[in-house]
Amino acid sequence: MYRGTITLEGNIGQAPAITFLEGNERSRGEKRPILKLNVKYDRLVNGPNNEGLIDKGGFWVAVDYWKKDGPALAQLLQKGMRILVIGEPRAEPWENDQGVMEPGFCITAESISILPRRIASITLEEKAPYQPHAAQVPYQDDSSYEPRY
């Protein structure tokens, strides 16, 4: 099976929404977060005779993000913020206001990065103090082990 990847840079069109789906066997019963947002991809090209950029039209992309840091991203991301999305594209039709099904383009995001445009400041949390891991089982010699190559 072929899986394609797409990289998209655009602006968030509305406040991101986080929801939680009921847990299942795969998630070991834990609720799974899903972050949903819409991103506007602008298609700007250089104009003739160095007249500047000309808008050749863009399109909206629905983005779903299923990773555990989705709730933290939902708190950081805001409408208008410029982001970079890398993920798997998929076609997903949607119903317009007149009840007609329209072709749609969506991405299941593997990663979402915030781009520094329009950001006034960044504040980081204090780093947590180091806590050593729990004691590990002492090494036991097992001479029957043979590495596989």
Side-chain angles (χ1 to χ4, degrees):
M1 181 171 97
Y2 174 76
R3 289 184 59 188
T5 300
I6 189 168
T7 301
L8 176 80
E9 180 180 327
N11 291 6
I12 298 174
Q14 63 190 28
I18 187 82
T19 56
F20 291 87
L21 301 178
E22 290 300 320
N24 58 19
E25 287 181 19
R26 190 172 177 192
S27 69
R28 297 183 185 102
E30 289 184 37
K31 289 188 174 188
R32 297 176 299 155
I34 179 169
L35 175 65
K36 291 184 171 275
L37 56 135
N38 290 322
V39 178
K40 174 70 181 323
Y41 168 75
D42 300 319
R43 189 168 161 248
L44 302 174
V45 297
N46 289 323
N49 303 323
N50 294 325
E51 294 175 6
L53 295 175
I54 299 173
D55 186 5
K56 289 289 191 175
F59 55 91
W60 287 95
V61 178
V63 176
D64 297 338
Y65 184 73
W66 290 80
K67 295 196 175 184
K68 289 185 179 184
D69 60 344
L73 267 175
Q75 291 180 351
L76 292 173
L77 299 176
Q78 299 176 16
K79 178 181 176 177
M81 191 175 274
R82 190 82 171 174
I83 61 172
L84 184 73
V85 178
I86 300 172
E88 184 177 355
R90 67 181 195 279
E92 191 170 287
W94 59 281
E95 189 173 331
N96 68 16
D97 294 338
Q98 290 78 35
V100 177
M101 294 304 288
E102 299 276 351
F105 179 66
C106 303
I107 294 177
T108 300
E110 182 63 30
S111 69
I112 299 175
S113 301
I114 299 171
L115 299 176
R117 298 183 187 143
R118 298 180 54 200
I119 293 179
S121 68
I122 297 174
T123 304
L124 300 176
E125 289 183 351
E126 289 292 323
K127 186 175 179 180
Y130 173 74
Q131 296 179 356
H133 295 282
Q136 296 181 355
V137 177
Y139 173 75
Q140 296 175 355
D141 183 21
D142 185 3
S143 57
S144 64
Y145 172 76
E146 292 184 26
R148 292 188 205 173
Y149 297 100

